[in-house]
Amino acid sequence: MTVQVLIAIGSVIALFILAAGIRRVARRFVIGAESQRKAVHVGVGIHAMLLPLVLTRDGFLVFAALAAIALLVLRLPGIATDGVGASLHSVQRRSWGDFLFLFAISLLFVLSAGHPALYTLPIAVLTLSDAAAALVGTRYGRLRFGGNDRTKSVEGSVTFLVVTWITAVIVLQLGTEIPRPNVIWLATLVAAFATFVEADSWRGLDNLFVPVGVYVLLSTWSNSEPAVLALITIVWLLVLVIAQIFAPRIGMTPHAARTALVALFLSTIVASPINSVLPVLAFFAALAARTEDEDIEPILDFVAALVLTGVVWLMIGNIFGTNAVAFYSATFAAIGAGYAGFAFRNGRYRFLAGLAGTGIAILASWLLLPAIIEFMGWTPALPLIVVISIVTLATALTEVLRPRSWGNRNPGVRLALTALAMLLPIYLYEATL
C-alpha cells in the first residue's frame, strides 16, 4: 500500500507540474486562457487513462482524495488568477468541470473494474473529441448556437461527432470482443449521444454527463444485436425531435426539454421502463413546481437530482453486488412528493399538497412494486412498501415544514439527499444480511 500511496502522490505532483508548465509556456508565447484550459484538459485526460496501469483501487482512492485537495488549492485567490491555477481558472465563466471530471473518472474506475474499454473510451471521448472540437470551433466556427456559457459551433460539434466515432471504433475493435457490426452501430450511438450532451451541457457538466453516459451505453448495450442498437439510435434521435417540437406546449424551452428527456432516456435504458415510472412522475412534479419565469435552473436541478440518485445507487449496487434498483425508484417516490409540496411553497396549501403528493407516490409505488422487485431479483426482508411510505412522508414533511425564511432554492438535490440519507442505511442492512 505504501508504494500505491507514493504513486498517487507522484501522480498529483505530476498534474501540478503539468499546470505550471502550461502556464509558463502560455506567458511566454501569449496563449489564450481557453487554449490553456484545453491543454490542461488533454493532459489530465491522458494522465487519467494511464492510471489503471499503475494504481490499484485503493491507490486510486488515495489519488482521488489528494487530487480533490489539489483542485481546491488551485481555486484559492491569487493561485487561481495569477499562479499555477490560472491555466484552469483564468477563463471568465462559472464552472465546476474540474471537480466533475475527477468525480467521473473516480466513478468509472470503480464501476469498470476488469473492463478496460469501459474506462478508457469514455475518458478518451471527453479528452480527444472535446479538444478537437474546441480547436476547430474556435478557429473555423462560423455557425454558432447556444448562448451564455454554452456557445458552440456546428463545425466544432461535427468535429466532436467524427472524432468520437473514430475513437469508439478503434477502442471497441482493439479492446473488446464485440462483433464488428455491433462496433459500428455502438460507435454511432455513442458518437451521437456524446455530441448532443457536449453541445447541450453547461457549467462544465459535460465533464460528468459525457463519460458517465458513454459508460452507461457501453455497459448496457455492448452485447446487443445490431438491430437493437439501430433501434436505440433511432429512438434516441426521435426523443430529441419530440423534445424540440413539444417543449413550448408544456411551457419549456427546447434546451431544458432536451436535457430532461436525455436524462430520463438514460434512466429508462439502464433501469428499465418499469423502474423509470417514478422518476417520470417526479419530473412532472418538478415541472409543476416551476415559477413562470424559470426554466433552465429548475430543470438542471431535477437532472442533478436524477444523476446524483442514479450514480449513488449504481455505485452502491456495484460495490455490494446487490441490485439496488428498487431503492432507486423509492428515492424518486420521495423526491416527487417533496416537489409537490414545493410547488405550493408560497401558499397556504403546501402541507396538503405535500400529503397529496405523498399519497400519489405511495399508491404508484404499491402498484409498481411487484414488478420492480421481480426485476431486482431479490426480496428485501423488510416490507419495502412500508419503508417507501415512511421515507416518502418524511421527505415531503421536511420540505413543507421548512421555514419560509430559508429561501426558495430549487429543491431537487436537497430532496434527493434527504431520501438517500434514510434509504442508504436500510439498503446496507438488507445487502449485508
Side-chain angles (χ1 to χ4, degrees), residues 336-337 340-341 344 349-363 396:
F344 291 84
Y349 299 113
R350 63 176 182 168
F351 186 79
L352 291 177
L355 291 180
T358 299
I360 293 171
I362 292 173
L363 176 61

Side-chain angles (χ1 to χ4, degrees), residues 87-319:
S87 57
L88 271 175
H89 301 299
S90 54
V91 176
Q92 297 300 313
R93 66 170 181 266
R94 198 169 127 205
S95 173
W96 289 94
D98 46 355
F99 284 98
L100 292 174
F101 186 49
L102 174 62
F103 178 73
I105 64 172
S106 302
L107 182 65
L108 292 173
F109 194 97
V110 172
L111 295 178
S112 64
H115 301 88
L118 292 181
Y119 176 83
T120 304
L121 180 53
I123 297 175
V125 168
L126 188 62
T127 302
L128 305 178
S129 303
D130 189 62
L135 287 173
V136 172
T138 301
R139 188 171 183 83
Y140 303 106
R142 297 293 182 268
L143 303 174
R144 303 284 177 176
F145 62 93
N148 298 326
D149 61 349
R150 65 173 198 94
T151 301
K152 308 287 183 177
S153 71
V154 172
E155 295 85 352
S157 292
V158 170
T159 302
F160 191 101
L161 177 73
V162 172
V163 174
T164 298
W165 190 86
I166 294 172
T167 303
V169 169
I170 292 173
V171 172
L172 294 175
Q173 191 66 41
L174 298 180
T176 71
E177 299 298 324
I178 298 174
R180 183 163 296 180
N182 291 45
V183 166
I184 299 302
W185 275 110
L186 199 56
T188 302
L189 178 58
V190 165
F193 169 83
T195 301
F196 165 77
V197 172
E198 193 279 333
D200 245 20
S201 295
W202 64 109
R203 297 184 186 172
L205 285 168
D206 55 323
N207 285 353
L208 175 64
F209 290 167
V210 169
V212 172
V214 170
Y215 168 84
V216 165
L217 291 176
L218 293 174
S219 60
T220 306
W221 299 106
S222 59
N223 295 318
S224 300
E225 294 295 326
V228 175
L229 295 174
L231 178 61
I232 293 297
T233 304
I234 293 169
V235 170
W236 160 254
L237 295 174
L238 286 175
V239 166
L240 299 183
V241 172
I242 290 171
Q244 191 73 23
I245 294 174
F246 289 98
R249 300 186 184 185
I250 56 175
M252 297 179 66
T253 61
H255 179 208
R258 290 193 305 268
T259 302
L261 283 182
V262 166
L264 291 170
F265 176 80
L266 284 178
S267 168
T268 301
I269 65 173
V270 174
S272 84
I274 193 67
N275 294 300
S276 298
V277 173
L278 287 167
V280 169
L281 292 177
F283 168 66
F284 283 110
L287 283 182
R290 295 174 303 159
T291 60
E292 292 183 359
D293 58 345
E294 289 182 310
D295 188 20
I296 291 296
E297 291 297 334
I299 297 305
L300 174 60
D301 176 64
F302 171 79
V303 170
L306 182 65
V307 172
L308 170 66
T309 303
V311 164
V312 166
W313 289 121
L314 182 65
M315 186 161 57
I316 291 295
N318 181 276
I319 291 172

Side-chain angles (χ1 to χ4, degrees), residues 385-409:
I385 189 60
V386 175
V387 171
I388 292 173
S389 300
I390 294 172
V391 172
T392 300
L393 178 60
T395 303
L397 288 177
T398 59
E399 186 60 37
V400 299
L401 296 178
R402 286 177 69 249
R404 296 182 183 182
S405 59
W406 288 8
N408 286 327
R409 293 182 62 86

